[in-house]
Amino acid sequence: MDELIVIPFSHFCEKARWGLERIGHPFRETGAMPVLHLRVAKRAMAGAPRRKEKHASPYAVPILVTPEGPVAGSTAILDHADPAFCGGEKTRALIADFDDRLGPHTRRVAYYLVFTTPGAFGALVRHNAPWWQRPLALAAPLVVGRMQRAMRIDREGFERSRARVDEVLDEVDQRLADGRAYLEGDEFGAADLAFAALLAPVLLPPEYGAWLPPVERFGPEGRALVEEIRNRPSGRHALRVYREHRR
Ligand SMILES: N[C@@H](CCC(=O)N[C@@H](CS)C(=O)NCC(=O)O)C(=O)O
């Protein structure tokens, strides 16, 4: 059976996991915490051509390990499982745009909120890590420091990324303004899945495929941010997509 290597709470991993489940492609999941994922990913990618990722390292997850070799990247994984799943050119362009302009920025915003909330990163580890990686929670300050540097997670980055998320949400609000039920019309599709998964770190939908902190855990700034996103048309759309299509 194919093995999906993930950082369990990562939203790009959620996109792949949700898509594979929907397609009905059998897989088992191997989870690793950030930084520890590097070893697992390097082993999985051994011998494969080096990837160039715009917003992540060459060892970014998700990676699907298949008998034919590793498949890296959420969309490539879905294509491997079902070449028709991501639809035609227009849908693919929309998904690629969410990958590029939404995912990296929701991640930075969410990590900033987690890193500035006492105990939140440790809780993410304790709830999501395989048992033998749980002691990592004790080394949280070291791991957090490394992640902050690697992903430029600071106040300035948070504010810049927050504005970028809003830009994409404005566009999605606009797209939904004609009353359509889904991003591309009447039917749920891969673009809805990608959008909802990549927005999830700042939406915190209860149906998410890994443990995310409940909104009450954050301070006033984080709670207000999540509530604001949940209450705009694009946020309501993603919440509904989770409620009606995640399981
Ligand atoms: N374009 C990639 C992005 C994947 C990505 O950014 N993965 C992040 C987790 S959200 C990661 O593995 N970061 C750690 C690293 O880059 O080593 C995809 O669609 O899968």
Side-chain angles (χ1 to χ4, degrees):
M1 189 188 291
D2 291 351
E3 178 189 18
L4 185 67
I5 300 175
V6 295
I7 294 173
F9 47 79
S10 138
H11 56 344
F12 281 105
C13 296
E14 165 75 353
K15 178 183 152 201
R17 175 202 286 131
W18 182 1
L20 288 177
E21 284 175 15
R22 244 195 114 75
I23 291 166
H25 185 89
F27 66 98
R28 68 190 163 83
E29 200 171 299
T30 296
M33 291 298 103
V35 181
L36 298 183
H37 77 285
L38 289 168
R39 248 185 80 190
V40 186
K42 275 181 193 165
R43 199 177 329 119
M45 295 302 290
R50 193 179 164 84
R51 302 149 64 191
K52 272 210 190 90
E53 284 280 343
K54 201 165 157 196
H55 300 283
S57 81
Y59 302 108
V61 291
I63 298 169
L64 188 70
V65 181
T66 78
E68 301 86 46
V71 182
S74 52
T75 300
I77 289 173
L78 299 180
D79 283 342
H80 169 85
D82 177 358
F85 185 74
C86 290
E89 236 168 80
K90 271 191 183 164
T91 312
R92 285 177 179 279
L94 200 51
I95 295 172
D97 194 47
F98 293 143
D99 285 354
D100 195 36
R101 291 174 56 230
L102 182 65
H105 297 291
T106 53
R107 176 173 59 206
R108 186 175 291 118
V109 167
Y111 270 139
Y112 179 83
L113 295 176
V114 166
F115 294 163
T116 52
T117 302
F121 184 71
L124 262 184
V125 172
R126 279 195 307 280
H127 282 87
N128 289 299
W131 65 268
W132 59 273
Q133 290 182 16
R134 281 185 207 147
L136 185 78
L138 302 173
L142 284 178
V143 179
V144 166
R146 182 162 167 178
M147 291 170 74
Q148 280 172 321
R149 284 190 298 279
M151 289 186 270
R152 276 172 293 151
I153 300 167
D154 51 24
R155 184 74 206 179
E156 201 193 320
F158 164 76
E159 279 168 9
R160 218 178 29 241
S161 284
R162 168 82 228 248
R164 295 291 195 82
V165 171
D166 277 338
E167 247 170 59
V168 175
L169 296 186
D170 286 344
E171 292 166 16
V172 175
D173 286 352
Q174 200 63 43
R175 185 179 268 274
L176 294 167
D178 62 6
R180 62 181 69 196
Y182 293 100
L183 292 182
E184 294 189 291
D186 298 334
E187 278 181 34
F188 171 76
D192 297 285
L193 184 153
F195 173 66
L198 296 181
L199 187 62
V202 292
L203 192 70
L204 308 175
E207 300 84 2
Y208 196 75
W211 187 89
L212 294 180
V215 65
E216 301 75 39
R217 179 129 200 171
F218 295 107
E221 182 176 40
R223 288 204 297 271
L225 183 149
V226 173
E227 285 311 327
E228 193 187 317
I229 292 175
R230 283 179 175 176
N231 283 312
R232 56 190 298 175
S234 45
R236 285 201 299 274
H237 177 71
L239 283 174
R240 178 172 66 85
V241 162
Y242 257 100
R243 211 168 41 242
E244 295 179 4
H245 298 278
R246 178 63 183 95
R247 303 240 176 254

